[in-house]
Amino acid sequence: DEAAETGILAYLQAAMSQHPGSAAIQEHACGAVARLTEHNDQLRGHAGWLDLLADVQAAIRCHRKSEAVQKQACWAVLALTSQGGNKEEADRLDLLSDVQAAMRSHMQSGAVQLRACGTLCNLLEHNLSSQARAGQLGLLEDLRMAMTTHTATANIQQAACLA
């Protein structure tokens, strides 16, 4: 039920906060946050109220070398900012630079590139401040690199084109 799902977000956040050095906990918590909020506006709003984007950002930054954490964290950012939700907070946290770092750290990982490109598409859509920041960061070059590194992967090509 909705109340239980809302409560589980707080438990996930607590686990992430209490075990920041555990890549496994961060990976699974980010995945759970993504699954719960991806298609649920009410839970996405509650996650914003909890400031879960900051916890996801902490996971991204603490576990740069973990492909699994980067993939799940990018998915969580995508889910938490879909349908226009939490985009101002994502801008404030400068999550574009964290997604860029994930792309650069795991260029050979199709899974990370796919999630990162989808996340960029979501963060940049109808968001002039993020579009300007993307230009400052040189994100077009990162998208080009994803496309040239994964030429045979149609879904990465599509996600990069949409971004």
Side-chain angles (χ1 to χ4, degrees):
D1 83 330
E2 194 72 32
E5 288 177 341
T6 299
I8 197 69
L9 288 176
Y11 286 115
L12 290 167
Q13 183 178 41
M16 293 174 81
S17 296
Q18 292 170 8
H19 304 283
S22 170
I25 289 174
Q26 301 303 313
E27 171 194 353
H28 296 296
C30 285
V33 166
R35 279 188 298 283
L36 287 167
T37 61
E38 190 170 38
H39 302 292
N40 189 317
D41 293 340
Q42 187 172 3
L43 284 180
R44 195 176 310 110
H46 187 68
W49 180 79
L50 289 171
D51 200 21
L52 262 170
L53 274 174
D55 296 290
V56 172
Q57 182 180 49
I60 290 172
R61 291 181 173 181
C62 187
H63 299 283
R64 290 260 188 240
K65 293 182 180 178
S66 170
E67 178 182 336
V69 171
Q70 298 299 302
K71 178 182 81 168
Q72 296 296 70
C74 284
W75 182 28
V77 172
L78 172 63
L80 289 168
T81 59
S82 65
Q83 303 299 315
N86 302 306
K87 284 191 179 181
E88 288 179 13
E89 180 64 6
D91 284 350
R92 189 187 70 73
L93 293 170
D94 194 24
L95 282 168
L96 283 175
S97 63
D98 293 305
V99 173
Q100 181 183 45
M103 292 178 80
R104 289 180 175 181
S105 296
H106 301 281
M107 185 53 68
Q108 299 303 318
S109 169
V112 171
Q113 296 303 310
L114 179 61
R115 295 282 194 208
C117 288
T119 301
L120 290 176
C121 178
N122 193 45
L123 290 174
L124 297 171
E125 183 180 35
H126 308 298
N127 189 333
L128 294 177
S129 63
S130 284
Q131 291 168 13
R133 179 69 176 135
Q136 293 168 349
L137 291 170
L139 276 169
L140 280 177
E141 178 60 19
D142 296 293
L143 291 167
R144 186 191 68 76
M145 287 299 297
M147 293 178 80
T148 58
T149 302
H150 300 279
T151 56
T153 310
N155 53 357
I156 293 174
Q157 298 294 310
Q158 180 182 8
C161 286
L162 290 171

